[in-house]
Amino acid sequence: QVQLVESGGGLVQPGGSLKLSCTASGGTFSPYCMDWFRQAPGKKRVFVASITWSAGQISYADAVKGRFSISRDAAKNTGHLQMDNLKPDDTAVYFCAVRNYGFRFEYDYWGQGTQVTVSS
């Protein structure tokens, strides 16, 4: 059974940067994609960014384009989300999730989430 563990969250001032990581362990890890989501207090979980594991195809939500950068290190079973020029609206719990198959939209595994707080 694959487990995903996020790390790298914390408190940062507006304009600052954080780098989140999501590491998989516990089983064979060869997903179709790894995605990042976030959930702000009182709001629904929303898509942030996606990267296909093999080809490295990337997409971003409009709210983070030009500020966030998604990447993966397949050798380490780890994905990253580099977040720059952070804004208070980026405050949320950030989750990584993976899908094993491109033809299926359900996510097979989720991480537990890591808190990101952007505040002065």
Side-chain angles (χ1 to χ4, degrees):
Q1 182 77 359
V2 172
Q3 292 183 325
L4 302 178
V5 177
E6 298 104 335
S7 61
L11 172 64
V12 64
Q13 292 186 342
S17 298
L18 284 174
K19 186 174 184 178
L20 306 183
S21 297
C22 175
T23 300
S25 64
T28 301
F29 188 70
S30 184
Y32 169 73
C33 69
M34 177 180 283
D35 294 355
W36 289 88
F37 292 80
R38 66 186 182 186
Q39 187 168 17
K43 296 188 177 181
K44 294 181 179 180
R45 189 174 301 186
V46 297
F47 169 80
V48 173
S50 175
I51 186 166
T52 58
W53 206 251
S54 178
Q57 292 176 310
I58 289 172
S59 62
Y60 297 101
D62 287 344
V64 306
K65 279 182 182 176
R67 300 188 298 121
F68 289 14
S69 178
I70 190 172
S71 62
R72 87 276 191 240
D73 183 342
K76 296 182 178 180
N77 289 348
T78 298
H80 301 287
L81 185 67
Q82 175 68 43
M83 307 185 295
D84 298 319
N85 191 21
L86 283 160
K87 304 175 181 180
D89 284 350
D90 295 318
T91 295
V93 178
Y94 284 71
F95 301 87
C96 62
V98 299
R99 285 192 283 140
N100 284 335
Y101 304 103
F103 61 80
R104 203 171 66 191
F105 290 100
E106 294 84 2
Y107 286 87
D108 294 278
Y109 304 104
W110 288 85
Q112 83 287 353
T114 185
Q115 177 70 46
V116 172
T117 303
V118 184
S119 175
S120 55

